[in-house]
Amino acid sequence: MNTIITVSREFGSGGRELSRRLARELGFDYYDREILTEIAKKTSLSEDYVRQVLEDKPHGLYPITTGRSFLYVDTQPLQQASAVFSAQQEIIRELAGKSSCVIVGRCADYILRDEHPFRIFVYASMESRIARTRSRAAEGETLTDKEYQKQIQSIDRARAKYYSFYTDMKWGDKYHYDLCINTTNQDIPKLVPYLAKMFM
Amino acid sequence: MNTIITVSREFGSGGRELSRRLARELGFDYYDREILTEIAKKTSLSEDYVRQVLEDKPHGLYPITTGRSFLYVDTQPLQQASAVFSAQQEIIRELAGKSSCVIVGRCADYILRDEHPFRIFVYASMESRIARTRSRAAEGETLTDKEYQKQIQSIDRARAKYYSFYTDMKWGDKYHYDLCINTTNQDIPKLVPYLAKMFM
Protein backbone atom coordinates (compact mmCIF):
# COMPACT_ATOMS: atom_id res chain seq x y z
CA MET A 1 0.00 0.00 0.00
CA ASN A 2 1.20 3.49 -0.79
CA THR A 3 2.23 5.76 2.06
CA ILE A 4 0.72 9.19 1.62
CA ILE A 5 2.06 12.13 3.59
CA THR A 6 0.26 15.46 3.34
CA VAL A 7 1.89 18.65 4.55
CA SER A 8 0.03 21.85 5.35
CA ARG A 9 2.23 24.74 6.28
CA GLU A 10 2.24 28.33 7.40
CA PHE A 11 3.91 30.67 4.95
CA GLY A 12 7.59 31.14 5.84
CA SER A 13 7.71 28.13 8.17
CA GLY A 14 9.91 26.04 5.89
CA GLY A 15 7.13 23.51 5.32
CA ARG A 16 7.91 23.26 1.62
CA GLU A 17 11.61 22.65 2.27
CA LEU A 18 10.75 20.05 4.89
CA SER A 19 8.38 18.30 2.47
CA ARG A 20 10.84 18.26 -0.42
CA ARG A 21 13.62 16.92 1.76
CA LEU A 22 11.32 14.35 3.35
CA ALA A 23 10.24 13.05 -0.05
CA ARG A 24 13.86 12.87 -1.22
CA GLU A 25 14.95 11.07 1.97
CA LEU A 26 12.17 8.51 1.54
CA GLY A 27 12.45 8.18 -2.23
CA PHE A 28 8.80 9.22 -2.48
CA ASP A 29 7.25 11.32 -5.20
CA TYR A 30 6.80 14.96 -4.35
CA TYR A 31 3.88 17.09 -5.48
CA ASP A 32 3.51 20.76 -5.00
CA ARG A 33 3.22 23.35 -7.76
CA GLU A 34 3.15 20.70 -10.48
CA ILE A 35 -0.44 20.04 -9.46
CA LEU A 36 -1.32 23.49 -10.79
CA THR A 37 0.06 22.61 -14.22
CA GLU A 38 -2.00 19.43 -14.28
CA ILE A 39 -5.16 21.28 -13.28
CA ALA A 40 -4.59 23.86 -16.00
CA LYS A 41 -4.28 21.06 -18.57
CA LYS A 42 -7.42 19.33 -17.32
CA THR A 43 -9.61 22.43 -17.19
CA SER A 44 -8.18 24.32 -20.18
CA LEU A 45 -7.83 27.31 -17.88
CA SER A 46 -4.57 29.21 -17.76
CA GLU A 47 -2.08 28.20 -15.10
CA ASP A 48 -2.13 31.77 -13.82
CA TYR A 49 -5.87 31.69 -13.38
CA VAL A 50 -5.70 28.35 -11.60
CA ARG A 51 -3.04 29.72 -9.26
CA GLN A 52 -5.18 32.76 -8.60
CA VAL A 53 -8.17 30.62 -7.66
CA LEU A 54 -6.11 28.27 -5.50
CA GLU A 55 -3.65 30.59 -3.88
CA ASP A 56 -4.16 34.27 -4.22
CA LYS A 57 -7.84 34.99 -4.34
CA PRO A 58 -9.93 32.37 -2.61
CA HIS A 59 -12.42 35.14 -1.81
CA GLY A 60 -13.10 35.16 -5.54
CA LEU A 61 -14.82 31.87 -4.85
CA TYR A 62 -17.76 33.68 -3.34
CA PRO A 63 -20.15 35.21 -5.87
CA ILE A 64 -20.35 38.94 -5.42
CA THR A 65 -23.97 39.87 -4.90
CA THR A 66 -23.74 43.25 -3.22
CA GLY A 67 -25.75 45.87 -5.08
CA ARG A 68 -27.02 43.47 -7.70
CA SER A 69 -30.21 41.59 -7.92
CA PHE A 70 -29.83 37.85 -7.55
CA LEU A 71 -30.75 37.21 -11.16
CA TYR A 72 -27.79 39.21 -12.43
CA VAL A 73 -25.12 37.45 -10.41
CA ASP A 74 -22.31 36.31 -12.64
CA THR A 75 -21.82 32.71 -11.58
CA GLN A 76 -19.01 31.99 -14.02
CA PRO A 77 -16.15 32.62 -11.56
CA LEU A 78 -17.79 30.31 -9.04
CA GLN A 79 -18.33 27.60 -11.65
CA GLN A 80 -14.73 27.89 -12.80
CA ALA A 81 -13.50 27.70 -9.21
CA SER A 82 -15.57 24.57 -8.71
CA ALA A 83 -14.10 23.08 -11.88
CA VAL A 84 -10.62 23.87 -10.59
CA PHE A 85 -11.34 22.19 -7.28
CA SER A 86 -12.87 19.14 -8.96
CA ALA A 87 -9.85 18.80 -11.23
CA GLN A 88 -7.55 19.19 -8.24
CA GLN A 89 -9.43 16.51 -6.36
CA GLU A 90 -9.19 14.11 -9.29
CA ILE A 91 -5.49 14.76 -9.87
CA ILE A 92 -4.59 14.39 -6.20
CA ARG A 93 -6.47 11.09 -6.02
CA GLU A 94 -4.72 9.85 -9.15
CA LEU A 95 -1.29 10.80 -7.80
CA ALA A 96 -1.93 9.21 -4.42
CA GLY A 97 -3.07 6.04 -6.13
CA LYS A 98 0.06 5.86 -8.26
CA SER A 99 2.85 5.75 -5.66
CA SER A 100 3.95 6.71 -2.17
CA CYS A 101 4.25 10.48 -2.07
CA VAL A 102 4.43 13.74 -0.16
CA ILE A 103 1.79 16.29 -1.18
CA VAL A 104 2.06 19.91 -0.11
CA GLY A 105 -1.06 21.95 0.59
CA ARG A 106 -4.09 21.89 -1.74
CA CYS A 107 -6.44 20.38 0.89
CA ALA A 108 -4.87 17.00 0.09
CA ASP A 109 -5.34 15.92 3.72
CA TYR A 110 -9.08 16.40 3.27
CA ILE A 111 -9.34 15.13 -0.30
CA LEU A 112 -7.54 11.91 0.63
CA ARG A 113 -9.20 11.45 4.03
CA ASP A 114 -10.50 8.00 3.13
CA GLU A 115 -6.92 6.89 2.38
CA HIS A 116 -5.84 7.98 5.91
CA PRO A 117 -2.75 9.93 4.90
CA PHE A 118 -0.26 10.94 7.56
CA ARG A 119 -1.07 14.60 8.04
CA ILE A 120 1.68 17.04 9.02
CA PHE A 121 1.26 20.72 9.87
CA VAL A 122 4.39 22.87 9.82
CA TYR A 123 4.40 26.20 11.65
CA ALA A 124 6.77 28.67 13.29
CA SER A 125 6.85 31.89 15.27
CA MET A 126 6.21 35.08 13.29
CA GLU A 127 9.75 36.26 14.04
CA SER A 128 11.26 33.12 12.54
CA ARG A 129 8.95 33.25 9.51
CA ILE A 130 9.90 36.86 8.81
CA ALA A 131 13.60 35.95 9.02
CA ARG A 132 13.10 33.01 6.68
CA THR A 133 11.08 35.01 4.18
CA ARG A 134 13.68 37.78 4.19
CA SER A 135 16.52 35.30 3.62
CA ARG A 136 14.69 33.99 0.56
CA ALA A 137 13.62 37.33 -0.89
CA ALA A 138 14.49 38.36 -4.43
CA GLU A 139 17.62 40.45 -4.72
CA GLY A 140 16.91 44.13 -4.15
CA GLU A 141 13.69 43.51 -2.19
CA THR A 142 13.79 45.77 0.83
CA LEU A 143 10.71 45.25 2.93
CA THR A 144 10.51 46.09 6.62
CA ASP A 145 9.64 43.41 9.18
CA LYS A 146 6.18 44.91 9.44
CA GLU A 147 5.67 44.64 5.69
CA TYR A 148 6.83 41.02 5.69
CA GLN A 149 4.48 40.27 8.56
CA LYS A 150 1.57 41.79 6.64
CA GLN A 151 2.46 39.72 3.58
CA ILE A 152 2.75 36.50 5.61
CA GLN A 153 -0.51 37.08 7.42
CA SER A 154 -2.33 37.86 4.21
CA ILE A 155 -1.12 34.64 2.54
CA ASP A 156 -2.06 32.57 5.58
CA ARG A 157 -5.46 34.22 5.79
CA ALA A 158 -6.05 33.19 2.17
CA ARG A 159 -4.92 29.63 2.87
CA ALA A 160 -7.15 29.39 5.92
CA LYS A 161 -10.13 30.77 4.01
CA TYR A 162 -9.63 28.43 1.09
CA TYR A 163 -9.21 25.42 3.37
CA SER A 164 -12.29 26.10 5.43
CA PHE A 165 -14.33 26.90 2.30
CA TYR A 166 -13.74 23.40 0.92
CA THR A 167 -13.35 21.34 4.04
CA ASP A 168 -15.54 23.06 6.63
CA MET A 169 -12.64 22.61 9.03
CA LYS A 170 -10.29 25.09 10.65
CA TRP A 171 -6.90 25.28 8.97
CA GLY A 172 -4.07 24.73 11.45
CA ASP A 173 -6.33 23.20 14.13
CA LYS A 174 -4.05 20.53 15.60
CA TYR A 175 -6.84 17.95 15.83
CA HIS A 176 -6.86 17.70 12.03
CA TYR A 177 -3.20 16.66 11.89
CA ASP A 178 -1.19 13.70 13.12
CA LEU A 179 1.94 15.73 13.79
CA CYS A 180 2.48 19.47 14.16
CA ILE A 181 6.07 20.60 13.80
CA ASN A 182 7.28 23.96 15.04
CA THR A 183 10.34 24.82 12.96
CA THR A 184 11.23 27.93 15.00
CA ASN A 185 14.33 26.48 16.61
CA GLN A 186 14.76 23.53 14.30
CA ASP A 187 17.39 22.81 11.73
CA ILE A 188 15.19 21.36 8.95
CA PRO A 189 17.95 19.43 7.08
CA LYS A 190 18.93 17.85 10.41
CA LEU A 191 15.36 17.10 11.46
CA VAL A 192 14.17 15.41 8.26
CA PRO A 193 16.17 12.15 8.46
CA TYR A 194 14.68 11.49 11.92
CA LEU A 195 11.22 12.31 10.72
CA ALA A 196 11.68 10.06 7.70
CA LYS A 197 12.41 7.08 9.95
CA MET A 198 8.77 7.15 11.03
CA PHE A 199 7.81 6.04 7.51
CA MET A 200 10.54 3.52 6.75
CA MET B 1 24.77 19.62 28.28
CA ASN B 2 21.64 17.89 29.54
CA THR B 3 18.80 17.28 27.12
CA ILE B 4 15.52 18.23 28.71
CA ILE B 5 12.24 17.05 27.21
CA THR B 6 9.00 18.34 28.67
CA VAL B 7 5.70 16.69 27.87
CA SER B 8 2.30 18.29 28.32
CA ARG B 9 -0.61 16.04 27.56
CA GLU B 10 -4.35 15.89 27.35
CA PHE B 11 -5.90 13.44 29.77
CA GLY B 12 -6.36 10.04 28.11
CA SER B 13 -4.05 10.82 25.20
CA GLY B 14 -1.33 8.40 26.29
CA GLY B 15 1.10 11.24 26.96
CA ARG B 16 2.32 9.66 30.17
CA GLU B 17 2.96 6.31 28.46
CA LEU B 18 4.75 8.04 25.62
CA SER B 19 6.92 9.98 28.10
CA ARG B 20 7.84 6.94 30.16
CA ARG B 21 8.74 4.93 27.08
CA LEU B 22 10.68 7.82 25.58
CA ALA B 23 12.75 8.21 28.76
CA ARG B 24 13.42 4.47 28.88
CA GLU B 25 14.40 4.38 25.19
CA LEU B 26 16.82 7.25 25.72
CA GLY B 27 18.13 6.14 29.09
CA PHE B 28 16.98 9.48 30.51
CA ASP B 29 15.55 10.08 33.96
CA TYR B 30 11.79 10.30 34.11
CA TYR B 31 9.87 12.61 36.42
CA ASP B 32 6.19 12.63 36.91
CA ARG B 33 4.36 11.99 40.19
CA GLU B 34 7.61 11.72 42.15
CA ILE B 35 7.80 15.50 41.94
CA LEU B 36 4.76 15.66 44.23
CA THR B 37 6.57 13.62 46.89
CA GLU B 38 9.54 15.96 46.72
CA ILE B 39 7.34 19.03 47.03
CA ALA B 40 5.59 17.55 50.05
CA LYS B 41 8.96 16.97 51.70
CA LYS B 42 10.16 20.50 50.93
CA THR B 43 7.00 22.28 52.10
CA SER B 44 6.03 19.98 54.97
CA LEU B 45 2.56 19.84 53.43
CA SER B 46 0.88 16.51 52.93
CA GLU B 47 1.29 14.84 49.55
CA ASP B 48 -2.48 14.79 49.20
CA TYR B 49 -2.72 18.51 49.74
CA VAL B 50 0.07 19.14 47.24
CA ARG B 51 -1.72 16.95 44.70
CA GLN B 52 -4.94 18.83 45.33
CA VAL B 53 -3.28 22.18 44.72
CA LEU B 54 -1.43 20.97 41.62
CA GLU B 55 -3.96 18.71 40.01
CA ASP B 56 -7.46 18.75 41.31
CA LYS B 57 -8.30 22.19 42.52
CA PRO B 58 -6.33 24.90 40.80
CA HIS B 59 -9.32 27.21 41.38
CA GLY B 60 -8.38 26.97 45.07
CA LEU B 61 -5.48 29.18 44.08
CA TYR B 62 -7.74 32.17 43.87
CA PRO B 63 -8.65 33.73 47.22
CA ILE B 64 -12.38 33.61 47.79
CA THR B 65 -13.57 37.11 48.47
CA THR B 66 -17.27 36.91 47.63
CA GLY B 67 -19.40 38.07 50.50
CA ARG B 68 -16.47 38.98 52.72
CA SER B 69 -14.80 42.24 53.33
CA PHE B 70 -11.25 42.44 52.00
CA LEU B 71 -9.77 42.53 55.49
CA TYR B 72 -11.18 39.16 56.39
CA VAL B 73 -9.87 37.26 53.38
CA ASP B 74 -8.12 34.09 54.42
CA THR B 75 -4.91 34.24 52.42
CA GLN B 76 -3.46 31.02 53.81
CA PRO B 77 -4.60 28.78 50.91
CA LEU B 78 -3.09 31.21 48.43
CA GLN B 79 0.17 31.40 50.37
CA GLN B 80 0.37 27.63 50.57
CA ALA B 81 -0.34 27.31 46.87
CA SER B 82 2.44 29.78 46.18
CA ALA B 83 4.76 27.79 48.41
CA VAL B 84 3.86 24.65 46.49
CA PHE B 85 4.58 26.29 43.17
CA SER B 86 7.87 27.74 44.44
CA ALA B 87 8.95 24.33 45.70
CA GLN B 88 7.92 22.76 42.42
CA GLN B 89 9.93 25.33 40.50
CA GLU B 90 13.00 24.70 42.62
CA ILE B 91 12.73 20.92 42.37
CA ILE B 92 12.20 20.92 38.61
CA ARG B 93 15.23 23.17 38.15
CA GLU B 94 17.33 20.91 40.35
CA LEU B 95 16.27 17.78 38.45
CA ALA B 96 16.89 19.38 35.07
CA GLY B 97 20.35 20.45 36.23
CA LYS B 98 21.22 16.96 37.35
CA SER B 99 20.82 14.87 34.20
CA SER B 100 19.04 14.51 30.86
CA CYS B 101 15.40 13.82 31.58
CA VAL B 102 11.77 13.71 30.50
CA ILE B 103 9.44 15.72 32.73
CA VAL B 104 5.68 15.29 32.49
CA GLY B 105 3.37 18.23 33.12
CA ARG B 106 3.85 20.62 36.06
CA CYS B 107 4.51 23.66 33.84
CA ALA B 108 8.05 22.36 33.39
CA ASP B 109 8.15 23.79 29.86
CA TYR B 110 7.59 27.23 31.35
CA ILE B 111 9.72 26.80 34.48
CA LEU B 112 12.69 25.66 32.39
CA ARG B 113 12.18 28.10 29.51
CA ASP B 114 15.68 29.55 29.88
CA GLU B 115 17.12 26.05 29.42
CA HIS B 116 15.25 25.71 26.09
CA PRO B 117 13.77 22.27 26.69
CA PHE B 118 12.27 20.36 23.79
CA ARG B 119 8.55 20.83 24.40
CA ILE B 120 6.12 18.13 23.33
CA PHE B 121 2.33 18.30 23.51
CA VAL B 122 0.42 15.01 23.26
CA TYR B 123 -3.24 15.03 22.31
CA ALA B 124 -5.91 12.85 20.73
CA SER B 125 -9.52 12.87 19.61
CA MET B 126 -12.14 12.66 22.37
CA GLU B 127 -13.27 9.29 21.03
CA SER B 128 -9.80 7.82 21.33
CA ARG B 129 -9.28 9.36 24.79
CA ILE B 130 -12.52 7.84 26.05
CA ALA B 131 -11.50 4.43 24.69
CA ARG B 132 -8.08 4.69 26.34
CA THR B 133 -9.49 5.83 29.68
CA ARG B 134 -12.01 3.01 29.63
CA SER B 135 -9.33 0.41 28.86
CA ARG B 136 -7.37 1.62 31.89
CA ALA B 137 -10.28 1.92 34.30
CA ALA B 138 -10.33 0.13 37.63
CA GLU B 139 -12.10 -3.19 37.60
CA GLY B 140 -15.83 -2.80 38.11
CA GLU B 141 -15.89 0.84 36.94
CA THR B 142 -18.86 1.17 34.62
CA LEU B 143 -19.06 4.69 33.31
CA THR B 144 -20.83 5.65 30.10
CA ASP B 145 -18.94 7.40 27.28
CA LYS B 146 -20.64 10.63 28.27
CA GLU B 147 -19.46 10.29 31.87
CA TYR B 148 -15.91 9.60 30.74
CA GLN B 149 -16.04 12.61 28.46
CA LYS B 150 -17.18 14.81 31.35
CA GLN B 151 -14.36 13.48 33.53
CA ILE B 152 -11.75 14.03 30.80
CA GLN B 153 -12.95 17.54 30.07
CA SER B 154 -12.98 18.47 33.72
CA ILE B 155 -9.39 17.29 34.25
CA ASP B 156 -8.21 19.12 31.16
CA ARG B 157 -10.03 22.29 32.19
CA ALA B 158 -8.17 22.12 35.51
CA ARG B 159 -4.82 21.61 33.74
CA ALA B 160 -5.50 24.50 31.40
CA LYS B 161 -6.52 26.77 34.27
CA TYR B 162 -3.48 25.88 36.33
CA TYR B 163 -1.13 26.33 33.39
CA SER B 164 -2.49 29.72 32.39
CA PHE B 165 -2.57 30.88 36.03
CA TYR B 166 1.18 30.39 36.36
CA THR B 167 2.42 30.98 32.86
CA ASP B 168 -0.03 33.48 31.39
CA MET B 169 -0.05 31.30 28.29
CA LYS B 170 -2.72 29.13 26.74
CA TRP B 171 -2.30 25.43 27.50
CA GLY B 172 -2.24 23.35 24.32
CA ASP B 173 -1.58 26.32 22.03
CA LYS B 174 0.76 24.77 19.45
CA TYR B 175 3.03 27.82 19.33
CA HIS B 176 4.25 27.00 22.85
CA TYR B 177 5.48 23.55 21.81
CA ASP B 178 8.14 22.23 19.45
CA LEU B 179 6.19 19.14 18.50
CA CYS B 180 2.51 18.27 18.89
CA ILE B 181 1.71 14.59 18.57
CA ASN B 182 -1.79 13.32 17.88
CA THR B 183 -1.92 9.77 19.25
CA THR B 184 -5.39 9.02 17.84
CA ASN B 185 -4.24 6.58 15.19
CA GLN B 186 -0.78 5.98 16.57
CA ASP B 187 0.73 2.93 18.15
CA ILE B 188 2.70 4.56 20.98
CA PRO B 189 5.19 1.69 21.58
CA LYS B 190 5.93 1.70 17.84
CA LEU B 191 6.19 5.48 17.59
CA VAL B 192 8.56 6.09 20.51
CA PRO B 193 11.77 4.57 19.05
CA TYR B 194 11.44 6.89 16.02
CA LEU B 195 10.77 9.86 18.23
CA ALA B 196 13.73 8.97 20.42
CA LYS B 197 16.08 9.13 17.43
CA MET B 198 15.54 12.88 17.35
CA PHE B 199 17.44 13.13 20.63
CA MET B 200 20.23 10.63 20.07
Side-chain angles (χ1 to χ4, degrees), chain B residues 135-196:
Chain B
S135 75
R136 274 157 173 70
E139 216 177 314
E141 190 181 287
T142 52
L143 296 183
T144 64
D145 279 4
K146 222 171 171 168
E147 285 165 329
Y148 273 124
Q149 178 165 344
K150 241 177 118 172
Q151 198 186 69
I152 290 169
Q153 284 170 333
S154 144
I155 294 171
D156 276 357
R157 253 198 311 276
R159 285 181 183 173
K161 217 167 177 175
Y162 175 73
Y163 187 80
S164 74
F165 184 84
Y166 278 114
T167 68
D168 249 339
M169 303 191 307
K170 202 178 154 222
W171 184 72
D173 177 343
K174 63 180 181 294
Y175 291 95
H176 303 322
Y177 308 96
D178 297 296
L179 199 65
C180 302
I181 303 174
N182 185 347
T183 54
T184 305
N185 298 310
Q186 292 287 333
D187 180 342
I188 294 175
K190 228 181 105 185
L191 172 72
V192 164
Y194 299 121
L195 189 60

Side-chain angles (χ1 to χ4, degrees), chain B residues 107-135:
Chain B
C107 303
D109 52 338
Y110 176 77
I111 293 170
L112 298 173
R113 63 195 178 283
D114 293 339
E115 263 60 63
H116 304 293
F118 191 86
R119 302 155 303 168
I120 297 178
F121 189 83
V122 183
Y123 62 104
S125 70
M126 182 52 74
E127 210 182 351
S128 134
R129 293 158 68 196
I130 290 172
R132 190 180 175 87
T133 308
R134 183 184 295 288
S135 75

Side-chain angles (χ1 to χ4, degrees), chain B residues 61-92:
Chain B
L61 299 174
Y62 300 86
I64 299 156
T65 55
T66 327
R68 298 185 191 181
S69 111
F70 181 70
L71 283 171
Y72 292 104
V73 169
D74 178 6
T75 58
Q76 211 202 356
L78 189 64
Q79 282 168 356
Q80 283 182 348
S82 282
V84 166
F85 193 72
S86 292
Q88 174 168 260
Q89 220 162 359
E90 235 173 274
I91 290 160
I92 286 177

Side-chain angles (χ1 to χ4, degrees), chain A residues 36 39 46 62 73-74 110 123 134 158 179 197 199:
Chain A
L36 291 180
I39 296 171
S46 79
Y62 300 85
V73 170
D74 179 7
Y110 176 78
Y123 63 104
R134 184 184 295 287
L179 199 66
K197 291 207 167 61
F199 307 96

Side-chain angles (χ1 to χ4, degrees), chain A residues 10 118 121 123-124 172 174-175 177-182 186 191 194 197-198 200, chain B residues 10 118 121 123-124 172 174-175 177-182 186 191 194 197-198 200:
Chain A
E10 287 183 346
F118 191 87
F121 189 82
Y123 63 104
K174 63 181 181 294
Y175 292 94
Y177 307 95
D178 297 296
L179 199 66
C180 301
I181 304 173
N182 185 347
Q186 293 286 334
L191 171 72
Y194 300 121
K197 291 207 167 61
M198 285 184 67
M200 283 173 174
Chain B
E10 287 184 344
F118 191 86
F121 189 83
Y123 62 104
K174 63 180 181 294
Y175 291 95
Y177 308 96
D178 297 296
L179 199 65
C180 302
I181 303 174
N182 185 347
Q186 292 287 333
L191 172 72
Y194 299 121
K197 290 209 167 62
M198 285 183 66
M200 283 173 173

Side-chain angles (χ1 to χ4, degrees), chain A residues 2 14 18 21 28-29 38 43 59 63-64 76-78 92 109 119 124 135 146 153 158 162 164 166 174 177 188 199:
Chain A
N2 294 338
L18 184 143
R21 286 180 181 272
F28 284 12
D29 283 319
E38 291 303 311
T43 56
H59 50 274
I64 299 155
Q76 210 204 356
L78 189 65
I92 286 177
D109 52 339
R119 302 155 303 169
S135 75
K146 221 169 171 170
Q153 284 170 333
Y162 175 73
S164 73
Y166 278 114
K174 63 181 181 294
Y177 307 95
I188 294 175
F199 307 96

Side-chain angles (χ1 to χ4, degrees), chain A residues 1 93 108-117:
Chain A
M1 222 178 79
R93 287 201 184 117
D109 52 339
Y110 176 78
I111 292 170
L112 298 173
R113 63 195 177 284
D114 293 338
E115 263 61 62
H116 304 293

